[in-house]
Amino acid sequence: MPKFYARRRRLSILAALTGLIAFAGLFNGPTASAALPTPVSAATARTYLASLTVATEVRTGYARDLFPTWDTISGTCNTREWILKRDGTNVVTTSACVATSGSWYSPYDGATWTAASDVDIDHLVPLAEAWDSGARNWTTAQRESFANDVTRPQLLAVTDNVNQSKGDKDPAEWMPSLTSYACTYVRAWVQVKYYYDLSVDTAEKAKLTSVLSGC
């Protein structure tokens, strides 16, 4: 069982503060890091990274439907719709929470979109990557919680074809083209992996260490 269930009590205050930061993002304009719940500092990320288990990834048995999405988060809004509202500016929705207008800034590539259909919700730590590094041992309910986590810096509205290009790659294989977002990206990556007690492989750890050293 992942350690995050044991950690919840001692992290409850941090989670609450992170939630407040995410909520505040609803009222901010599109900047490179306004939408994503603020990740831990680079110093904390380096400490977290040092404690992560280094292990070879195991893909055997992976299927995306082992990570159920999208859950209802609030009212009629499912996870995708909730993130579109959180990350967008001047978002207008129907009574069913479908976004009909607004704008979305993608911090991965610096593009701004005015159609929700041009935006994907990225799992910052991809579902397949999570499976490879420990989630294969979780229950379906635990994987569902991971796939719909709007509290930690794990879900983000980004340009659809950029998300598709990223696929299930880790930072050793893919980083945002907007280099000014690199520190935020790896800090978030390490925070999510630490919270969910997921391992890292050798190349992944080396890349994370390298980027964090310049943050």
Side-chain angles (χ1 to χ4, degrees):
M1 178 179 294
K3 293 177 185 174
F4 62 90
Y5 286 98
R7 288 195 190 113
R8 278 184 174 170
R9 169 172 273 175
R10 65 186 176 85
L11 289 178
S12 60
I13 294 175
L14 177 60
L17 290 173
T18 303
L20 286 173
I21 292 167
F23 182 77
L26 288 168
F27 303 98
N28 293 334
T31 64
S33 59
L36 192 73
T38 303
V40 295
S41 68
T44 299
R46 286 190 286 269
T47 299
Y48 284 1
L49 179 58
S51 74
L52 295 180
T53 299
V54 178
T56 301
E57 295 181 348
V58 179
R59 180 61 59 90
T60 305
Y62 171 73
R64 197 182 189 286
D65 59 9
L66 294 171
F67 292 79
T69 56
W70 301 103
D71 288 354
T72 299
I73 300 298
S74 177
T76 60
C77 300
N78 67 23
T79 311
R80 171 181 165 81
E81 294 160 344
W82 195 92
I83 295 293
L84 285 173
K85 289 179 68 176
R86 184 199 71 182
D87 290 6
T89 300
N90 300 322
V91 178
V92 176
T93 63
T94 67
S95 59
C97 205
V98 176
T100 57
S101 64
S103 65
W104 292 269
Y105 173 83
S106 171
Y108 287 176
D109 58 339
T112 298
W113 303 95
T114 56
S117 59
D118 290 323
V119 177
D120 278 357
I121 307 305
D122 180 45
H123 289 92
L124 194 136
V125 174
L127 304 182
E129 168 69 22
W131 176 272
D132 296 351
S133 51
R136 62 187 177 277
N137 300 316
W138 300 352
T139 65
T140 299
Q142 288 166 346
R143 289 190 288 268
E144 181 175 11
S145 179
F146 175 85
N148 296 277
D149 187 351
V150 299
T151 301
R152 275 143 290 277
Q154 164 64 351
L155 294 169
L156 183 63
V158 300
T159 302
D160 55 0
N161 61 354
V162 172
N163 182 52
Q164 292 152 23
S165 174
K166 172 186 172 180
D168 58 11
K169 300 179 180 71
D170 69 27
E173 304 162 315
W174 187 94
M175 285 288 293
S177 61
L178 199 63
T179 56
S180 60
Y181 200 67
C183 282
T184 300
Y185 187 79
V186 297
R187 285 159 48 212
W189 182 283
V190 171
Q191 180 179 344
V192 170
K193 282 226 159 176
Y194 177 82
Y195 181 81
Y196 285 98
D197 196 27
L198 296 170
S199 64
V200 290
D201 64 35
T202 302
E204 176 189 355
K205 183 172 183 178
K207 180 64 174 182
L208 292 167
T209 300
S210 174
V211 177
L212 284 170
S213 69
C215 295

